[in-house]
Amino acid sequence: MKILGQLAFLLLLGGICCQNNRNAKASGKSTRKSGGTQAVDAGQSPPVADVTPGSTGGTRGAGGTAEAAREGAAGARAAGQQADEMRLHFLKNTQVTCNDGTAAGFYLKESRGSRRWLLFLEGGWCCHSKETCDSRYQNIPRLMSSSGWPQTKRGTGILSSQAEENPHWHNANIVFIPYCSSDVWSGTGPAPTPPPRPRQGREKERDRSTNSTEYTFMGSLIIREVVKDLIPKGIKQAKVVMLSGTSAGGTGVLLNIERVASQLEQLGAEAQVRGLVDSGWFLESKQQRSPNCPETISCSPEDAIKIGLRLWNGVVPDRCRQLYKKGEEWQCFFGHKLYSTLTSPLFVVQWLFDEEQLRVENIYMGGQTLSEEQWQYIQNLGVELKSSLTDVTAVFAPSCLSHTVITRSNWMSFQVKGTSLPRALHCWDRSLEATRNNRTPAKGCPFHLVDTCQWPQCNPTCPALVDQATQQELTLLQMLVAMGLDLQRLGLDPQGDADSLASMVSNGG
């Protein structure tokens, strides 16, 4: 009887192990959650399937020392990979949500003992009406809902925990905040209200500020709640908190950095809050458009923001808002108008020929024909962006056609005047620390880096241009020809300009 009892116990234990293995395999897939509340504590570590090649998961027999060593090494590698991952945590405040009411949250990779925190805001533009938000929800649901978010995320570029990829921030506490509010991180609600009855005249104008869509816009509140939820993790003891973001996330940094600094100060933290804006420094559009702009793509950035601000109940920094009369707060979304009002240190990363800025003007490099007027606009864009960055203390602006950089795995390869972006950020870091400690900043460590050459792609470290039809890499002149420009008509001699381009690179690339 005793033997039967032991046998039953072993069978039960084996059943549990098998069930755990099945759960582990299932957890390797992206977890989908439905509705606005999650019953699972996303902060817990999910099981991880053993997918190491050659690992059978079976029982080893006697004399399996070499196999044990191999499996031990594989296990160590898997554990190392797990340690590199950021894990999903949903906000404790369930009233602050994504557009569709699902729980907002953040991914966190803790670095025990580190007093440096890097908070990253994801980008993805916005929607500003029921029509544009419905289209966005249908086509890019992950930017409006958390229902498909995976349990873990691997950071790249400045979010990487590998020293060779991220030499100066790999050992920081890294927080990735997914974008699911569609409001350029400016929204403060309120929750949706039932569609109002039809109004006329001034009543109709007043009702435009009411959220009659099915969506909630709480981007700024999400940032606030993330900071609150990081208090038990040690952010109050931080020495440096860097709020970073790309594209709309970069603009979100401009809009929220002063609020984050104030929030941490009220909590009693002594951290210096800094901002890192990547490709979020936009200029106003040159095109005249219909103010109604029914589709997001047909709207200029300022028109989309003007309309969206009312829907989102969007907020801008107080000091900037005081510069503009009511209804003109949208101007604070543009870095060159907001920068002088900020008190927190800011580092701006901006390609001088930003592809998203070009798309606003319906210019798609490598994807359509290009008119002479559009080519002239491209050239002027570099001059105007360069001019807008003149008074920015810390800046990295390569003369390239691209968009976003800090989360690319190869972000160390881009240079301005011989200095890479990670090096420039490190120089800025050292300068800020020296200033805080009343020391003289080190010389020969630059962090105001703007290319002086004038052409797109005149910097030899620029990302390659790719023809959208053939997926082949092209030089700038090859792409201009492929897009239908007559180089001789424009006074561009392909052979001669190859030499002049080389000259410009050596003078400022």
Side-chain angles (χ1 to χ4, degrees):
M1 193 71 180
K2 187 174 180 181
I3 294 172
L4 287 174
Q6 290 174 336
L7 181 61
F9 174 76
L10 289 171
L11 288 171
L12 177 62
L13 184 62
I16 292 172
C17 290
C18 290
Q19 182 62 44
N20 283 344
N21 283 341
R22 285 195 293 273
N23 291 342
K25 290 172 183 174
S27 74
K29 301 174 183 177
S30 295
T31 303
R32 287 191 169 271
K33 296 184 178 291
S34 59
T37 57
Q38 277 77 6
V40 178
D41 179 5
Q44 294 177 350
S45 300
V48 178
D50 182 2
V51 293
T52 309
S55 174
T56 64
T59 305
R60 290 190 301 271
T65 310
E67 185 180 352
R70 284 197 301 273
E71 291 193 8
R77 283 196 302 273
Q81 288 175 347
Q82 273 188 269
D84 291 344
E85 291 178 335
M86 299 177 282
R87 297 196 173 275
L88 177 61
H89 301 256
F90 288 107
L91 296 183
K92 293 175 183 175
N93 184 349
T94 57
Q95 300 303 306
V96 176
T97 69
C98 297
N99 288 132
D100 67 346
T102 52
F106 59 94
Y107 290 84
L108 169 65
K109 181 197 166 293
E110 295 181 70
S111 183
R112 301 293 183 187
S114 174
R115 296 179 63 193
R116 288 159 65 86
W117 287 76
L118 177 66
L119 279 58
F120 176 84
L121 305 180
E122 187 182 21
W125 196 213
C126 68
C127 63
H128 58 269
S129 64
K130 184 181 187 308
E131 293 75 20
T132 58
C133 291
D134 283 346
S135 174
R136 182 180 176 91
Y137 195 63
Q138 182 177 358
N139 294 303
I140 330 173
R142 70 172 186 82
L143 291 179
M144 300 183 74
S145 174
S146 64
S147 62
W149 290 356
Q151 289 293 303
T152 60
K153 186 178 284 289
R154 184 73 53 81
T156 53
I158 200 169
L159 303 179
S160 172
S161 55
Q162 302 298 317
E164 57 270 22
E165 185 174 333
N166 186 18
H168 305 300
W169 281 88
H170 66 277
N171 57 357
N173 298 283
I174 296 175
V175 183
F176 178 101
I177 312 178
Y179 185 36
C180 66
S181 56
S182 307
D183 53 8
V184 199
W185 296 99
S186 71
T188 60
T193 57
R197 63 182 176 83
R199 303 290 182 98
Q200 300 296 324
R202 291 186 178 179
E203 283 189 328
K204 186 175 181 181
E205 184 65 30
R206 281 200 303 270
D207 270 358
R208 285 186 181 176
S209 61
T210 303
N211 182 1
S212 59
T213 72
E214 300 169 11
Y215 307 106
T216 300
F217 304 91
M218 295 187 172
S220 188
L221 300 183
I222 289 171
I223 297 171
R224 183 193 70 189
E225 294 302 317
V226 169
V227 173
K228 281 185 185 178
D229 287 0
L230 291 175
I231 293 172
K233 303 292 186 182
I235 199 170
K236 276 178 66 174
Q237 287 72 49
K239 184 179 178 183
V240 174
V241 174
M242 186 151 77
L243 184 65
S244 63
T246 55
S247 198
T251 306
V253 172
L254 292 166
L255 296 174
N256 288 281
I257 185 170
E258 302 289 66
R259 274 187 184 78
V260 171
S262 176
Q263 182 182 3
L264 286 169
E265 185 179 2
Q266 289 171 11
L267 290 170
E270 296 181 359
Q272 183 184 55
V273 178
R274 306 170 184 171
L276 173 57
V277 177
D278 175 11
S279 304
W281 187 276
F282 294 104
L283 302 179
E284 295 89 331
S285 174
K286 301 294 185 186
Q287 283 194 21
Q288 293 297 316
R289 290 180 174 83
S290 164
N292 297 324
C293 51
E295 300 174 6
T296 305
I297 197 67
S298 67
C299 270
S300 68
E302 52 267 40
D303 284 338
I305 291 163
K306 285 177 193 176
I307 299 167
L309 266 173
R310 296 191 292 265
L311 176 64
W312 311 327
N313 197 24
V315 291
V316 300
D318 290 338
R319 290 182 58 177
C320 183
R321 181 175 49 79
Q322 292 166 11
L323 295 178
Y324 300 99
K325 63 184 181 181
K326 189 172 178 59
E328 295 291 311
E329 299 92 343
W330 60 268
Q331 302 203 50
C332 296
F333 279 67
F334 293 91
H336 65 101
K337 294 188 173 181
L338 171 67
Y339 178 78
S340 64
T341 70
L342 300 178
T343 58
S344 301
L346 196 74
F347 193 108
V348 176
V349 180
Q350 186 63 49
W351 303 107
L352 291 178
F353 301 92
D354 189 285
E355 288 180 322
E356 286 303 313
Q357 184 79 50
L358 294 178
R359 288 188 181 112
V360 167
E361 308 297 332
N362 293 320
I363 299 172
Y364 297 84
M365 295 303 295
Q368 63 177 36
T369 57
L370 189 70
S371 70
E372 293 180 18
E373 291 75 19
Q374 288 175 321
W375 167 240
Q376 189 60 53
Y377 172 82
I378 292 173
Q379 292 177 285
N380 291 341
L381 175 61
V383 174
E384 290 187 22
L385 267 171
K386 198 177 298 186
S387 175
S388 75
L389 294 167
T390 302
D391 296 327
V392 177
T393 302
V395 60
F396 185 87
S399 192
C400 305
L401 284 155
S402 196
H403 185 63
T404 76
V405 58
I406 63 173
T407 56
R408 299 188 188 195
S409 296
N410 66 338
W411 74 306
M412 294 180 64
S413 65
F414 309 116
Q415 297 183 3
V416 174
K417 300 178 182 177
T419 300
S420 70
L421 176 52
R423 169 69 175 164
L425 283 169
H426 184 56
C427 290
W428 179 56
D429 190 16
R430 289 174 58 186
S431 176
L432 291 173
E433 288 301 312
T435 302
R436 287 182 78 186
N437 296 312
N438 296 315
R439 298 197 312 266
T440 303
K443 294 182 178 180
C445 203
F447 51 85
H448 182 95
L449 295 158
V450 180
D451 264 339
T452 54
C453 61
Q454 301 298 319
W455 279 52
Q457 301 298 104
C458 60
N459 182 321
T461 69
C462 285
L465 297 178
V466 177
D467 186 298
Q468 297 302 311
T470 65
Q471 292 302 303
Q472 288 185 319
E473 291 186 6
L474 301 175
T475 66
L476 175 65
L477 294 179
Q478 287 171 334
M479 179 161 284
L480 293 179
V481 170
M483 295 178 74
L485 278 184
D486 185 335
L487 300 186
Q488 290 185 337
R489 177 180 165 82
L490 294 177
L492 302 175
D493 173 31
Q495 186 57 48
D497 277 294
D499 297 333
S500 63
L501 280 171
S503 173
M504 285 188 285
V505 165
S506 64
N507 289 335

